């Protein structure tokens, strides 16, 4: 995931900062009219995409807490910019009302998970913080799914106008669904009792009352 995020991020950075003549003809007129907005959204989103995976690296969290915190604030700040500018771009999205609602809803959820992750960290509820960060990065990674669906289906011969409204929903909902699947798997692992049937040390499985 990390390698794909970095690879996609570098590719996207070259795309939006390169020669405008190389932009996709579908988006080129709008991007040229709103180039500052596009660059603000693109660069901040790429920063979030490439900084996010390192937040889940246990070694970094335990051994380099200061760096983990700095990267965390960088990630969350990038989302604040990326989601805000993305919401404005969503109002102008190709694909009609369906696509615009899909993109604006995704950006709203992106901001909400971003804020929730920050608040839970400030409250030292690191279990909740991790859960919100997984949801947040799942939405961030939706940009990768968007390109995979869009370019993959266009390569198969599907018309842009026919698929784009649905991809605007399918991209982030697929990624968020996978994030929830990961969280559900973690919950299931915690609920599975020990295979040996032995009670953990210090427990009182038969309910005896003890006197200290």
């Amino acid at each position: 995931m990390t390698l794909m995020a970095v690879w996609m991020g570098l590719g996207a950075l070259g795309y939006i900062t390169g020669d405008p003549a190389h932009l996709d003809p579908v988006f080129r007129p709008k991007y040229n009219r709103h180039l500052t907005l596009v660059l603000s959204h693109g660069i901040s989103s790429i920063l979030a995409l490439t900084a996010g995976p390192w937040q889940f690296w246990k070694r970094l969290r335990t051994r380099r807490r200061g760096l983990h915190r700095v990267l965390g604030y960088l990630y969350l700040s990038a989302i604040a910019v990326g989601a805000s500018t993305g919401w404005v771009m969503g109002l102008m999205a190709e694909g009609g009302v369906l696509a615009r609602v899909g993109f604006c809803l995704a950006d709203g959820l992106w901001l909400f998970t971003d804020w929730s992750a920050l608040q839970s960290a400030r409250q030292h509820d690191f279990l909740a913080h991790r859960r919100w960060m997984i949801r947040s990065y799942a939405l961030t990674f939706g940009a990768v799914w968007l390109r995979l669906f869009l370019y993959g289906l266009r390569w198969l011969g599907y018309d842009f106008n026919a698929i784009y409204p649905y991809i605007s929903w399918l991209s982030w909902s697929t990624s968020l669904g996978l994030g929830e699947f990961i969280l559900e798997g973690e919950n299931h692992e915690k609920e599975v009792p020990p295979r040996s049937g032995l009670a953990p040390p210090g427990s009182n499985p038969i309910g005896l009352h003890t006197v200290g």
Side-chain angles (χ1 to χ4, degrees):
M1 182 182 72
T2 302
L3 290 176
M4 181 176 285
V6 172
W7 177 65
M8 281 282 191
L10 291 176
L13 183 63
Y15 174 74
I16 64 172
T17 59
D19 187 349
H22 295 155
L23 294 172
D24 190 311
V26 175
F27 303 108
R28 189 185 304 152
K30 181 175 64 179
Y31 281 11
N32 285 332
R33 288 195 305 270
H34 306 282
L35 190 57
T36 301
L37 179 65
V38 171
L39 288 173
S40 299
H41 173 70
I43 292 172
S44 58
S45 299
I46 291 167
L47 187 58
L49 181 66
T50 53
W54 306 104
Q55 294 301 97
F56 302 103
W57 190 21
K58 185 176 181 179
R59 188 172 181 179
L60 182 68
R61 294 199 311 270
T62 55
R63 298 189 180 184
R64 302 292 299 274
R65 293 183 181 180
L67 180 58
H68 173 75
R69 189 177 296 111
V70 169
L71 285 175
Y73 277 114
L74 181 65
Y75 171 77
L76 296 174
S77 299
I79 290 179
V81 176
S84 300
T85 53
W87 195 83
V88 177
M89 291 183 64
L91 295 175
M92 304 182 286
E94 306 292 334
V97 174
L98 184 62
R100 291 168 188 169
V101 172
F103 283 125
C104 287
L105 179 59
D107 287 311
L109 290 172
W110 205 18
L111 274 175
F112 176 73
T113 55
D114 183 51
W115 175 254
S116 298
L118 177 61
Q119 289 300 103
S120 56
R122 285 178 171 174
Q123 295 165 5
H124 300 284
D125 186 351
F126 296 112
L127 179 60
H129 174 67
R130 170 179 163 75
R131 295 177 67 82
W132 283 115
M133 280 294 293
I134 288 174
R135 295 183 178 111
S136 172
Y137 193 72
L139 289 165
T140 304
F141 204 76
V144 175
W145 283 104
L146 175 69
R147 282 150 186 80
L148 291 175
F149 283 133
L150 178 60
Y151 295 122
L153 290 173
R154 288 176 76 180
W155 180 77
L156 291 173
Y158 288 90
D159 179 66
F160 172 87
N161 293 318
I163 62 175
Y164 199 61
Y166 303 102
I167 290 175
S168 68
W169 289 81
L170 189 61
S171 56
W172 62 266
S173 60
T174 298
S175 197
L176 186 59
L178 288 173
E180 291 297 328
F181 180 78
I182 292 171
L183 290 173
E184 184 62 27
E186 291 183 350
N187 289 339
H188 179 69
E189 288 179 1
K190 293 175 183 177
E191 292 171 0
V192 174
R195 291 187 178 182
S196 64
L198 298 177
S203 66
N204 188 6
I206 58 175
L208 294 177
H209 295 283
T210 60
V211 178

